């Protein structure tokens, strides 16, 4: 029979005083130099600039060079952040990298960054949650700090989607771009990462995928060409309905109303998705930050790209309440409310 041991009150209070909170303290980005506008696609598929702008909101995106991979984009985003905030990285004790476009599946991107950045001893883990990956990174970083496992974490979203894009499919090739974003999350007595949500609906796995070893998802035969394949309409509908719900779950958990939110940073998948979520939750569209128009859909990098641009433009200010919400392949989602430091 299990025995219940009652801890003396003094022990409990000592344990609680050791609990640290998580504080997002810095952000940096990197995007490849090559800018690709919508006219590029007019040469390769039956589409046009007007359709792409009006149906997606995308104007340009960046493509990595042939010899440029996710690890180098991630490294540059971290180094840009370190330079801008004058950071020391040697005492980072965990690296989380969200991506679906690893240079290699093994070793992980996080291990490669540990080596390249010369960080002596750190936990290193890749997150496979597609466009929800950066949100998962924030939630995991908060949990690692709260549990006492880590004190200084690099959380990164980085992608080279142009390398896994099917350029013969007009419904998807116009969407994707390459980029990277990194944040630093540190242990602090007073944190700024509040309520979090995570979730998954694996039943929609075959609606958005990138094939690898197995050619079957949920009993359905898939197209096995190592490219991103999607049912755009289904993902669109799921994103609008589920993310509107999760937006409100975050508000309720944090004890806020929609009017308390200064900035909404959803995954930049499609401008019409962002507009529809804003309409459903009653948030003015002017409070949404996007990276879509400039960078296209960059999956796990889209939220830090939008947030960084919002900070640099002087929109996001100290004390602002920012609601981040990532969603995509899996289907999976994760988000958090952050009070900007
Ligand atoms: C892909 C997406 C842009 C398509 O937009 P849509 O408004 O849903 O368009 P539909 O799929 O209903 O197609 C409408 C028509 O446009 C056509 N079309 C699709 N892509 C086109 C393109 N690039 N140029 C011109 N016409 C195009 C379709 O063939 C269809 O033609 P039809 O009516 O003759 O059959 C949109 O569904 C989307 O963004 N979905 C979410 C996808 C996503 O974000 N994935 C990443 C994961 S987060």
């Amino acid at each position: 029979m299990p025995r219940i041991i009652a801890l003396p009150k003094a022990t409990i209070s000592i344990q609680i005083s050791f609990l640290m909170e998580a504080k997002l303290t810095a952000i940096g980005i990197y995007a490849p130099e090559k800018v690709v506008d919508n006219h590029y696609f007019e040469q390769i598929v039956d589409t046009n600039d007007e359709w792409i702008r009006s149906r997606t909101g995308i104007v340009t995106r960046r493509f990595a060079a042939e010899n440029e991979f996710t690890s180098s984009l991630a490294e540059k985003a971290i180094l840009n952040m370190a330079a801008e905030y004058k950071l020391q990285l040697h005492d980072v004790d965990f690296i989380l990298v969200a991506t679906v476009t690893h240079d290699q599946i093994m070793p992980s991107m996080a291990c490669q960054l540990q080596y390249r950045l010369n960080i002596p001893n750190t936990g290193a883990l890749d997150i496979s949650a597609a466009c929800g990956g950066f949100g998962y990174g924030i939630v995991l970083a908060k949990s690692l700090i709260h549990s006492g496992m880590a004190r200084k974490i690099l959380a990164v979203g980085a992608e080279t989607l142009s390398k896994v894009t099917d350029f013969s499919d007009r419904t998807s090739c116009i969407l994707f771009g390459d980029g990277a974003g990194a944040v630093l999350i540190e242990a602090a007595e007073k944190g700024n990462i509040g309520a979090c949500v995570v979730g998954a609906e694996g039943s929609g796995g075959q609606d958005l995928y990138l094939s690898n070893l197995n050619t079957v998802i949920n009993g359905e035969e898939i197209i096995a060409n190592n490219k991103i394949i999607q049912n755009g309409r289904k993902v669109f509908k799921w994103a609008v309905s589920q993310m509107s719900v999760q937006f409100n779950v975050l508000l309720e958990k944090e004890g806020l109303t929609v009017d308390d939110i200064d900035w909404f940073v959803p995954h930049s998948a499609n401008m019409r998705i962002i507009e529809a979520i804003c309409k459903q939750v009653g948030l003015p569209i002017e409070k949404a930050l996007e990276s879509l128009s400039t960078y296209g859909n960059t999956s796990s990098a889209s939220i830090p790209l939008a947030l960084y641009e919002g900070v640099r433009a002087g929109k996001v200010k100290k004390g602002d309440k920012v609601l981040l919400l990532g969603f995509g392949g899996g289907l999976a989602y994760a988000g958090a409310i952050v009070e900007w430091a």
Side-chain angles (χ1 to χ4, degrees):
M1 224 175 106
R3 283 175 56 207
I4 296 167
I5 302 165
L7 288 172
K9 270 190 183 150
T11 318
I12 294 169
S13 69
I14 288 166
Q15 282 174 348
I16 289 169
S17 72
F18 276 118
L19 279 182
M20 292 303 276
E21 295 190 7
K23 188 168 182 184
L24 196 159
T25 54
I27 184 165
I29 63 165
Y30 175 77
E33 277 175 22
K34 186 176 175 187
V35 179
V36 178
D37 67 15
N38 293 336
H39 297 293
Y40 168 80
F41 298 92
E42 295 170 355
Q43 324 296 319
I44 56 174
V45 287
D46 181 13
T47 191
N48 57 73
D49 176 51
E50 200 283 323
W51 192 96
I52 300 171
R53 279 177 196 247
S54 62
R55 303 305 288 173
T56 71
I58 298 168
V59 181
T60 56
R61 73 285 288 143
R62 303 287 183 92
F63 281 0
E66 236 174 86
N67 61 352
E68 198 176 23
F69 295 94
T70 296
S71 60
S72 50
L73 270 55
E75 183 185 6
K76 285 176 180 161
I78 294 168
L79 292 177
N80 284 345
M81 173 174 72
E84 193 172 331
Y85 288 81
K86 300 186 174 40
L87 300 174
Q88 297 294 326
L89 298 177
H90 66 275
D91 56 346
V92 163
D93 55 10
F94 220 104
I95 304 173
L96 293 165
V97 181
T99 188
V100 291
T101 46
H102 327 68
D103 301 21
Q104 297 86 18
I105 298 287
M106 180 171 70
S108 68
M109 291 296 84
C111 283
Q112 294 202 29
L113 288 172
Q114 177 272 327
Y115 170 70
R116 288 189 194 195
L117 298 167
N118 199 19
I119 299 172
N121 185 24
T122 175
L125 180 71
D126 285 2
I127 300 168
S128 176
C131 311
F134 184 76
Y136 268 91
I138 300 276
V139 177
L140 287 174
K142 178 180 171 175
S143 310
L144 285 166
I145 286 173
H146 210 250
S147 71
M149 270 304 296
R151 295 184 61 84
K152 190 167 177 182
I153 302 178
L154 288 171
V156 184
E159 305 285 2
T160 45
L161 297 179
S162 65
K163 296 185 192 291
V164 292
T165 296
D166 179 354
F167 285 99
S168 67
D169 175 10
R170 70 171 179 171
T171 70
S172 69
C173 71
I174 47 120
L175 298 174
F176 302 120
D178 304 336
V183 291
L184 186 72
I185 299 177
E186 298 181 81
E189 272 178 31
K190 189 175 173 343
N192 65 355
I193 302 178
C196 295
V197 289
V198 288
E201 286 178 43
S203 59
Q206 66 278 27
D207 293 333
L208 182 53
Y209 61 85
L210 179 53
S211 60
N212 190 18
L213 300 180
N214 189 346
T215 59
V216 176
I217 300 175
N218 296 337
E220 269 185 38
E221 197 71 36
I222 60 165
I223 301 167
N225 62 358
N226 294 321
K227 304 287 180 203
I228 299 174
I229 308 287
Q230 64 171 3
N231 184 329
R233 275 184 213 180
K234 275 200 179 170
V235 176
F236 191 110
K237 280 188 188 160
W238 170 78
V240 173
S241 63
Q242 183 61 271
M243 291 317 108
S244 305
V245 171
Q246 295 311 321
F247 185 106
N248 286 320
V249 170
L250 278 170
L251 288 185
E252 201 180 318
K253 278 189 170 186
E254 192 72 9
L256 300 177
T257 71
V258 68
D259 296 334
D260 297 318
I261 297 301
D262 297 295
W263 300 104
F264 175 37
V265 194
H267 165 48
S268 273
N270 184 314
M271 208 50 222
R272 289 183 297 132
I273 293 179
I274 298 176
E275 284 162 2
I277 299 171
C278 285
K279 200 169 165 202
Q280 295 247 14
V281 301
L283 186 84
I285 187 67
E286 295 73 29
K287 287 189 170 186
L289 297 176
E290 53 86 20
S291 52
L292 192 68
S293 48
T294 315
Y295 298 105
N297 177 344
T298 54
S299 190
S300 65
S302 84
I303 290 178
L305 284 169
L307 188 52
Y308 181 88
E309 299 286 5
V311 173
R312 287 303 141 245
K315 292 179 178 176
V316 182
K317 297 189 189 71
K318 192 173 176 346
D320 279 359
K321 292 215 161 26
V322 184
L323 192 152
L324 315 173
L325 199 47
F327 55 86
L331 302 171
Y333 58 85
I337 293 179
V338 176
E339 188 179 309
W340 198 249

